[in-house]
Amino acid sequence: MKSYANINKFSKYFASQDQQEPFEVSLMDISDEFCWRGNGNQYRTSDLDFYTKNIEGTFLPHGLLASDFPLWN
């Protein structure tokens, strides 16, 4: 299963790296703070909102990892 994400609105990267559509991400070494790779960069879990993609190609929020509030300042 492929994982997708986009920069969440609370991330310091939002202004410069937010995309029109979610991008594919992969989990890297989880011992590092920046454990997700995608969009040519590495991200913390707290910087991303996660999505799934249905058969029709529509991106749907992945509720388990969605962030509606900042995890830290």
Side-chain angles (χ1 to χ4, degrees), residues 17-36:
Q17 296 181 30
D18 183 50
Q19 301 293 306
Q20 290 282 358
E21 288 191 336
F23 48 88
E24 191 172 340
V25 293
S26 59
L27 188 60
M28 299 171 24
D29 181 1
I30 61 172
S31 65
D32 186 15
E33 179 180 12
F34 295 91
C35 59
W36 293 95

